[in-house]
Amino acid sequence: MTGMSFKPLGTQPLAARALLARPAPGKPVTLESPAVEVMTDFTQTQPVGIAPEATLFAANEAMITYGVRLLFVTERDHLLGIISTQDTLGERPLQMRHLGKGTVSDLSVSDLMHPLASLQVLRHADVLHANVGDLVATLQRLGRKHLLVSEQLPDQPLAIRGMFSATQIERQLGAPVETYERAQTFAQIEAALGA
């Protein structure tokens, strides 16, 4: 900053009373609203990542710190999978312990994460033509709390452009979105049954 001159701004005393500015209320979201209105767009919001070797305790702490329920498992900017509070605080850590994977404190994020190959994603191009009701129906059909959105730009690798969260949609709609996590593979069904 050499060669630049800066000058302090003037100040004034604060009155005994003042209002606190608030954002203007946005347009209410309905089931007919465009789906992109409830999408967390990673070109505008930084996703929260965690290393695969991190402990479950560290994953839970990160989720609390950032106020999220899902983390992206990354290694050197490469996305490996996802892990959510349902994975870290639900029955899965106990099931892994029963399968001989050690104590819950021995488990790492990589032990419980959902690898990319196991995930279903929406295409951004399809999301642009969908509404919130279509998205809610998709979350309910899949029995998921989160859905990732992919985008394929010319001459670029596939990227995760954004994410939908049932919790976020509930907040914006002002109404519950009932989804129930469902086992999608035989291995998940076996784990759920404690086999």
Side-chain angles (χ1 to χ4, degrees), residues 50 54-64 88 104-105 107-109:
I50 193 160
T55 65
L56 296 188
F57 178 79
N60 287 324
E61 287 295 306
M63 288 186 229
I64 291 167
T88 61
V104 172
S105 60
L107 296 174
S108 67
V109 166

Side-chain angles (χ1 to χ4, degrees), residues 29 38 67-69 165-177:
V29 172
V38 296
V68 297
R69 295 181 184 199
S165 161
T167 304
Q168 178 66 29
I169 295 168
E170 286 175 348
R171 276 192 219 116
Q172 289 183 259
L173 275 177
V177 174

Side-chain angles (χ1 to χ4, degrees), residues 2 12-13 39 71 74 102 129 131 158-160 173 183 188:
T2 40
Q12 64 185 35
M39 182 179 91
L71 298 172
T74 59
H129 303 289
N131 61 35
L158 184 72
I160 300 301
L173 275 177
Q188 289 172 332

Side-chain angles (χ1 to χ4, degrees), residues 118-178:
S118 72
L119 301 176
Q120 296 288 317
V121 297
L122 300 171
R123 292 182 322 145
H124 188 250
D126 294 336
V127 167
L128 293 175
H129 303 289
N131 61 35
V132 173
D134 298 330
L135 188 62
V136 168
T138 305
L139 286 165
Q140 290 172 333
R141 179 177 58 85
L142 295 174
R144 296 287 182 217
K145 290 276 189 194
H146 300 94
L147 271 174
L148 301 180
V149 179
S150 67
E151 183 176 46
Q152 182 74 59
L153 296 175
D155 300 324
Q156 301 233 354
L158 184 72
I160 300 301
R161 168 68 187 263
M163 180 182 78
F164 289 105
S165 161
T167 304
Q168 178 66 29
I169 295 168
E170 286 175 348
R171 276 192 219 116
Q172 289 183 259
L173 275 177
V177 174
E178 297 294 331

Side-chain angles (χ1 to χ4, degrees), residues 54-105:
T55 65
L56 296 188
F57 178 79
N60 287 324
E61 287 295 306
M63 288 186 229
I64 291 167
T65 300
Y66 292 101
V68 297
R69 295 181 184 199
L70 181 138
L71 298 172
F72 292 89
V73 183
T74 59
E75 193 168 55
R76 292 183 294 280
D77 291 332
H78 292 292
L79 181 60
L80 304 176
I82 60 172
I83 190 164
S84 73
T85 54
Q86 288 182 314
D87 301 319
T88 61
L89 298 175
E91 294 179 19
R92 289 189 69 211
L94 298 175
Q95 290 169 348
M96 296 294 280
R97 188 183 80 195
H98 290 301
L99 293 173
K101 301 286 185 182
T103 66
V104 172
S105 60

